[in-house]
Amino acid sequence: MTYPVHMTTSPHVSAFFDEATNTISYIVSEPDGDHCAIIDSVMDIDYAAGRITFDSADALIAEIERRSLTLDWIIETHVHADHLSAAPYIQEKLGGKIGVGDKITVVQDAFGKVFNEGTDFQRDGSQFDALFKDGDTYQIGGMQGFAIATPGHTPACMVHVIGDACFVGDTLFMPDGGSARADFPGGDAGVLYDSIQKVLALPDEMRLFMCHDYGPNGRDIKWETTVAEEKAHNIHVGGGKSREEFIKFRNERDATLDMPKLIIPSLQVNMRAGELPVDKDGNEMLKVPLNQL
């Protein structure tokens, strides 16, 4: 298989674990330069109190400022259903372009209806600075990355390959964690299996960085593995499991799962590229649709 960029560069990757949502955000920087990208930032929310804070984002900002880096990109691997993006807050502080997969329009259309957003809510992805198509390349200083469309968990999921580092979003978890659910609107277990095969077709030594880890069976939180490890040991797709086996398992498992605790605020915010929705008077306000999810 051929790829649009060389994968011999080894970028510096700094991971930031958010305990409240089990999300890992990343700063990815040039090995010999001063440009960087952020992958999957987190905006903090006390949902019961209806209060937004920015401690997690401030930690990313502080690290970038400490290292005197220039932020080129703020990348969302998909429209997350379990945490809120801090992209606009970070952009205001540091600049950079906010990017997401071009199938964000499919997600916006589906959830625009769920949240009864009306005609004021644009469903064309214009809230983002860049909409990545499958195979698109982009620059982080002198370092090039590229996007691989990996739908199945959501229609807009994308994996980002930057040198020898691959940021998989929710497409895969650590080998003992398996894979993401595929029962959200627009999700599909068979499509997810096909997307996972794209990741497993990358070079064996490719470093894979997870968006989430839940410490299965009480182990310490981890977020980095390799293609070879996933192919050999992933409990959902490793060891040559067939597409049919995966679909049966994934559908049966998904039927037992509860909705993520932050799905209602997360979808409203993340389909807007991290901006908070407002009411007719301009007050920041979230909706709670009943019997829609």
Side-chain angles (χ1 to χ4, degrees), residues 95-276:
K97 295 180 180 180
I98 302 173
V100 74
D102 67 331
K103 292 300 186 290
I104 179 64
T105 56
V106 178
V107 177
Q108 288 176 329
D109 185 60
F111 289 109
K113 295 172 183 174
V114 169
F115 292 103
N116 193 27
E117 294 294 349
T119 57
D120 288 341
F121 174 60
Q122 298 300 309
R123 295 160 169 82
D124 59 0
S126 57
Q127 301 87 345
F128 298 81
D129 299 310
L131 303 182
F132 296 114
K133 294 182 173 64
D134 186 39
D136 276 357
T137 62
Y138 54 91
Q139 292 294 134
I140 303 169
M143 183 171 60
Q144 198 170 45
F146 73 97
I148 302 173
T150 53
H153 174 58
T154 80
C157 285
M158 295 202 105
V159 163
H160 286 265
V161 178
I162 305 168
D164 71 349
C166 175
F167 300 87
V168 300
D170 284 8
T171 302
L172 277 173
F173 295 152
M174 292 295 290
D176 60 348
S179 62
R181 65 196 300 163
D183 61 333
F184 293 153
D188 184 284
V191 172
L192 177 58
Y193 180 89
D194 296 339
S195 293
I196 290 171
Q197 301 313 305
K198 295 181 185 179
V199 179
L200 299 184
L202 291 165
D204 279 354
E205 64 275 14
M206 176 71 67
R207 295 184 289 161
L208 301 183
F209 293 92
M210 310 296 111
C211 183
H212 296 288
D213 188 63
Y214 301 94
N217 301 312
R219 69 150 167 78
D220 292 341
I221 297 296
K222 297 181 180 179
W223 49 75
E224 181 179 350
T225 184
T226 64
V227 169
E229 283 293 313
E230 291 283 14
K231 284 199 295 191
H233 302 300
N234 186 282
I235 58 173
H236 294 173
V237 294
K241 286 189 175 64
S242 71
R243 192 175 192 271
E244 291 71 24
E245 289 174 311
F246 178 80
I247 292 171
K248 182 177 185 297
F249 163 81
R250 188 71 265 170
N251 288 339
E252 290 175 352
R253 179 173 176 80
D254 289 350
T256 71
L257 298 177
D258 295 330
M259 284 289 109
K261 293 179 180 179
L262 294 180
I263 188 170
I264 288 174
S266 295
L267 292 175
Q268 290 175 80
V269 169
N270 295 338
M271 69 181 183
R272 290 177 164 85
E275 295 287 355
L276 294 166

Side-chain angles (χ1 to χ4, degrees), residues 58-87:
D58 284 338
L60 297 171
I61 292 167
E63 176 67 7
I64 288 172
E65 291 180 336
R66 183 188 70 80
R67 295 169 56 193
S68 299
L69 298 173
T70 297
L71 181 62
D72 291 340
W73 287 97
I74 307 164
I75 291 172
E76 304 293 339
T77 55
H78 61 294
V79 175
H80 309 276
D82 42 27
H83 72 271
L84 285 65
S85 168

